[in-house]
Amino acid sequence: MTNSQTPLVDMRNIRISFGGVHAVDDVSVDLYPGEVVGLLGHNGAGKSTLIKILSGAYQMDSGEIYVDGKQAVIRNPRDARAHNIETIYQTLALADNLDAASNLFLGRELTTPLGMVDDDAMEAETRKIMARLNPNFKKFKDPVSALSGGQRQSVAIARAVYFNARILIMDEPTAALGPHETQMVSELIQQLKAEGIGIFLISHDIHDVMELCDRASVMKNGKLVGTVDVKDVTDDDLLSMIILGKRPGEDTPAV
Amino acid sequence: MSDSTTTPTSTDTRQPAKSAVSRFLQATELDTRLIGMIGALALIWIGFHLYGQLVNGFGAFLTPRNLWNLSVQTASVGIMACGMVLVIITRHIDLSVGSLLGFCAVTMGVTQVWILPGLLGIGHPLIWIIAVIVGLITGTLVGALHGWLVAYRNIPAFIVTLGGLLVWRGAAFLIARGETISPVDETFKLLGGGPFGAIGATGSWIVGLIGCAAAIAMVFFGRRQRLRFGFALRPVWADVFIAGLSCSAIIGAVLLVNSYPWPKGIVKRYAAENNITIPEGGLFISHGFAIPVLILIAVAIVMTIVMSRTRFGRYVYAIGGNPEAAALAGINTKLMTVKIFALMGFLAGLSAAVASARLGSATNALGTLDELYVIAAAVIGGTSLAGGVGTIYGAVLGALVMQSLQTGMVLIGFDAAIQQIVVGSVLVLAVYLDNLYRRAAK
């Protein structure tokens, strides 16, 4: 699409291996502002590993990451957050024993002038963002273990959105949700996209990808099969990329 | 579950149906666990007192003397329990604290009895300070070493500290050459309590009034803070009730410690030394709060603030709740583990000062089996071994429960074997009751 711009994120020739297994092998993907890029592939194809490198959870063995055209060093989640890269993990990564506000601000607590954690200020901010994302959310004092799947998801989403993410990584954001909540997430993605945020969307659901994404990058066995414009391909094209590792129009597998 | 009146969502819609008690609890926002623990403690105290009265003809438990001693005996285990809470919340364990206490006590003993008098002269005012600092640093460093082995070398805390249990006890023996190191510095001794190691009637009133002022200020600022963000306020009567309750508890404690007089012999000696003539009917000099108890209270207050009001405390809970999520949130969980074990070591060093000051000497056997009492105190106080849950006040109350049981059984003449059976059973029972409570509260 808008390929004349500088990409928000450009991951080049990323490699990582765990105990001799090449989990991600020479993969390059990029993401432009206001774009949703789907990451597709089987379980174990390396999608989650790839984005965990971007979010700072894993350190790549080799490769380069550029944010806004400038090389970025991402050694831990803090570095990623400093580049306004926010992640919604498949597991949600919530501390179940803490309340919504503590989770939302985990690692970035608001403090009083004396350096004390300001729970009331955080709760007030949480109430504000929740009013926007999930107006039905009322359990501000309870630990998140007491929340439903959808409520937990909205806490995880609020955490990513609150801190002015420019690059958002969503790992299976709708896997645990009912149809109504899935619809809410879809609307949110459209809204964030309109705000110029770039989104990596990891999903198993081809229909989600066809509906929400501008481009799709397909991975198989740690390698990139290819990146396609979603409007140029059919469901079946994507499926054969995922299953057979064949790019549309090719006879022999690319991987 | 959905029909249960205990779920918050359903209680809101059934306001009128609720009992007076639950409305009261909701308005005051009192912690029901805290009430339960204090209730259990009251039961133990009254039980022992009545048993003594009925069976032995003399109820010795609820006397100023016994309660004052109980508070002093609780101090050492209580101080360490404050640190153990953090260790257990983060899903670790520290089995070495008893041995570490012995090791720190011996280092402090060697410093103040063997080394410093030669350098500074016996009775030099700096001796006790240097000795305590040496003990605290020793504890902190050993704790940090344990934490490093756990976090950066991936050895389970159970193993590291089980090794520590043996290593530091042995090291204490070597350093002390198996001897009892005494006498400790006179000022150092005050840390352990006793008639001189207490702050007297006037001092206790000052401490009490400061405590009351702090309690009232906390209620007041809490209210102002809620107003600032437009949150629902507690009813005024509930705030007044809480402030009043805290102040009465504090003043009650002051009256209690002030009603325990110095023993006659010590009064006589003190009067002779200070040229005071003892009036007819004897001279009543109050003990007041013992210094080790004040140390425990200070540790408990500071640790409560750390756990509820600082990032460090928040991260401790987060790591306990979900270590992976904490790491993904950018928390340096390994460094946190080192800090937590170092803090545990620091508190073991502080406990060592209190324990050896109370004994008046340092021996390598000091603190034997303390690790079990410390862990039990934390667990009785509601710290979950599964991680993520625990409070400082719970651990201190837990230590008080354990000590009350032991003291009570000594007073009514149970022998050591029965004491062990009772304390062990109570530990198991307490955790079982806690499980039931948690299930009911869900």
Side-chain angles (χ1 to χ4, degrees):
Chain A
M1 44 182 289
T2 47
N3 282 6
S4 55
Q5 282 178 272
T6 320
L8 261 181
V9 182
D10 193 357
M11 298 178 78
R12 294 183 199 161
N13 312 106
I14 306 294
R15 283 178 206 271
I16 188 171
S17 51
F18 299 105
V21 178
H22 297 289
V24 174
D25 192 359
D26 197 23
V27 171
S28 302
V29 291
D30 55 4
L31 177 69
Y32 288 86
E35 187 189 33
V36 181
V37 171
L39 282 176
L40 288 158
H42 280 303
N43 286 330
K47 338 175 273 288
S48 288
T49 310
L50 180 68
I51 59 105
K52 277 192 171 169
I53 290 170
L54 184 59
S55 69
Y58 295 150
Q59 286 191 43
M60 59 194 172
D61 296 336
S62 67
E64 286 158 352
I65 299 174
Y66 294 85
V67 175
D68 289 327
K70 285 188 283 264
Q71 186 156 12
V73 181
I74 298 175
R75 283 201 206 86
N76 54 49
R78 245 175 228 286
D79 291 344
R81 287 176 162 195
H83 285 103
N84 294 85
I85 300 170
E86 296 289 336
T87 312
I88 299 164
Y89 293 97
Q90 188 174 3
T91 55
L92 303 185
L94 297 173
D96 276 341
N97 54 339
L98 300 181
D99 61 14
S102 303
N103 269 292
L104 205 155
F105 287 93
L106 190 57
R108 293 180 280 205
E109 287 77 8
L110 300 179
T111 51
T112 63
L114 288 173
M116 297 284 161
V117 169
D118 194 341
D119 280 314
D120 292 317
M122 292 194 285
E123 187 185 327
E125 287 298 304
T126 307
R127 283 176 188 271
K128 273 188 222 158
I129 187 151
M130 281 310 201
R132 186 156 77 87
L133 289 177
N134 185 353
N136 298 325
F137 190 94
K138 291 282 179 286
K139 292 186 173 179
F140 291 98
K141 294 280 183 202
D142 291 317
V144 296
S145 59
L147 306 182
S148 71
Q151 289 170 330
R152 290 161 59 82
Q153 184 84 40
S154 55
V155 174
I157 292 175
R159 171 162 65 183
V161 174
Y162 178 82
F163 292 96
N164 302 318
R166 293 180 54 234
I167 299 148
L168 189 57
I169 302 165
M170 301 174 108
D171 191 352
E172 303 274 2
T174 59
L177 300 186
H180 175 66
E181 286 152 333
T182 305
Q183 185 58 34
M184 270 176 37
V185 171
S186 303
E187 282 164 17
L188 179 72
I189 290 175
Q190 302 290 0
Q191 184 193 334
L192 295 173
K193 195 175 131 108
E195 290 170 15
I197 294 170
I199 300 174
F200 275 123
L201 180 67
I202 296 185
S203 183
H204 274 106
D205 188 336
I206 300 275
H207 300 291
D208 266 3
V209 173
M210 293 299 284
E211 187 193 323
L212 296 169
C213 298
D214 301 298
R215 288 187 295 151
S217 295
V218 179
M219 290 180 69
K220 188 172 194 253
N221 300 335
K223 293 197 168 67
L224 186 71
V225 177
T227 302
V228 292
D229 275 5
V230 167
K231 61 177 187 297
D232 299 339
V233 293
T234 63
D235 291 17
D236 286 346
D237 290 338
L238 282 179
L239 270 176
S240 76
M241 285 175 82
I242 293 168
I243 296 167
L244 303 171
K246 276 197 297 194
R247 279 197 210 107
E250 279 181 356
D251 289 338
T252 49
V255 175
Chain B
M1 183 71 189
S2 60
D3 280 322
S4 148
T5 44
T6 51
T7 50
T9 43
S10 55
T11 45
D12 292 340
T13 56
R14 294 191 188 183
Q15 214 80 28
K18 279 190 304 180
S19 69
V21 175
S22 71
R23 260 182 292 137
F24 172 79
L25 287 178
Q26 193 177 28
T28 51
E29 295 172 15
L30 282 174
D31 182 354
T32 45
R33 285 201 45 142
L34 178 62
I35 299 173
M37 287 201 61
I38 291 175
L41 198 58
L43 220 61
I44 291 170
W45 288 11
I46 295 169
F48 276 123
H49 191 76
L50 286 183
Y51 185 96
Q53 209 143 36
L54 295 176
V55 178
N56 304 342
F58 173 61
F61 201 96
L62 292 175
T63 56
R65 175 181 169 166
N66 181 52
L67 293 178
W68 189 88
N69 280 322
L70 180 65
S71 71
V72 175
Q73 288 157 355
T74 305
S76 172
V77 166
I79 291 169
M80 288 195 285
C82 289
M84 190 61 79
V85 171
L86 277 67
V87 173
I88 297 179
I89 285 177
T90 50
R91 307 184 182 189
H92 296 301
I93 195 81
D94 193 336
L95 300 173
S96 70
V97 292
S99 297
L100 185 49
L101 185 150
F103 182 68
C104 291
V106 165
T107 23
M108 279 187 284
V110 167
T111 309
Q112 62 182 313
V113 179
W114 292 352
I115 300 175
L116 287 180
L119 298 174
L120 300 172
I122 289 178
H124 193 281
L126 277 179
I127 287 183
W128 78 274
I129 298 176
I130 296 175
V132 169
I133 291 174
V134 166
L136 295 179
I137 290 177
T138 306
T140 309
L141 289 179
V142 170
L145 171 68
H146 289 168
W148 179 79
L149 289 169
V150 172
Y152 290 94
R153 288 294 167 263
N154 293 317
I155 310 169
F158 188 95
I159 300 301
V160 170
T161 58
L162 182 60
L165 181 145
L166 297 168
V167 168
W168 304 115
R169 186 66 69 195
F173 185 91
L174 283 184
I175 291 179
R177 301 191 298 240
E179 298 169 29
T180 296
I181 306 168
S182 65
V184 295
D185 182 81
E186 280 304 315
T187 319
F188 181 83
K189 248 184 189 164
L190 302 183
L191 296 175
F196 299 107
I199 58 172
T202 319
S204 298
W205 276 115
I206 294 172
V207 169
L209 292 179
I210 292 174
C212 288
I216 293 169
M218 265 173 58
V219 170
F220 177 75
F221 284 113
R223 201 173 172 81
R224 219 179 56 172
Q225 182 82 342
R226 288 186 186 205
L227 270 176
R228 181 155 77 92
F229 291 101
F231 295 160
L233 286 174
R234 270 198 298 238
V236 176
W237 67 261
D239 271 345
V240 170
F241 173 79
I242 286 179
L245 190 67
S246 321
C247 290
S248 347
I250 294 169
I251 290 171
V254 174
L255 289 173
L256 177 76
V257 293
N258 281 354
S259 61
Y260 175 39
W262 283 11
K264 286 206 176 65
I266 291 180
V267 171
K268 219 177 271 171
R269 219 170 57 209
Y270 177 79
E273 279 168 16
N274 293 279
N275 298 320
I276 304 169
T277 43
I278 298 177
E280 203 69 27
L283 186 61
F284 190 96
I285 303 180
S286 298
H287 274 79
F289 286 115
I291 289 174
V293 176
L294 292 175
I295 295 175
L296 170 62
I297 293 171
V299 166
I301 291 174
V302 169
M303 290 302 295
T304 300
I305 294 172
V306 164
M307 289 305 279
S308 58
R309 287 269 155 266
T310 67
R311 288 189 165 168
F312 178 83
R314 188 57 47 87
Y315 296 168
V316 169
Y317 282 115
I319 291 171
N322 188 342
E324 197 200 355
L328 290 174
I331 297 168
N332 189 339
T333 53
K334 289 179 190 290
L335 188 60
M336 280 291 296
T337 302
V338 175
K339 286 182 187 169
I340 290 163
F341 275 91
L343 180 60
M344 179 73 252
F346 173 87
L347 291 175
L350 191 59
S351 269
V354 168
S356 69
R358 183 151 176 263
L359 195 64
S361 64
T363 71
N364 57 279
L366 202 63
T368 304
L369 287 185
D370 267 11
E371 57 280 344
L372 299 182
Y373 291 112
V374 170
I375 293 168
V379 170
I380 286 179
T383 310
S384 162
L385 287 168
V389 179
T391 54
I392 300 296
Y393 70 74
V396 174
L397 279 175
L400 197 53
V401 167
M402 299 276 299
Q403 194 58 51
S404 299
L405 284 174
Q406 292 206 305
T407 309
M409 286 187 290
V410 171
L411 283 183
I412 62 178
F414 281 5
D415 61 14
I418 296 180
Q419 289 178 33
Q420 286 177 335
I421 291 172
V422 171
V423 170
S425 311
V426 165
L427 171 64
V428 176
L429 183 71
V431 173
Y432 174 66
L433 289 177
D434 197 47
N435 281 350
L436 289 186
Y437 168 84
R438 277 180 217 280
R439 225 169 294 158
K442 262 199 180 151

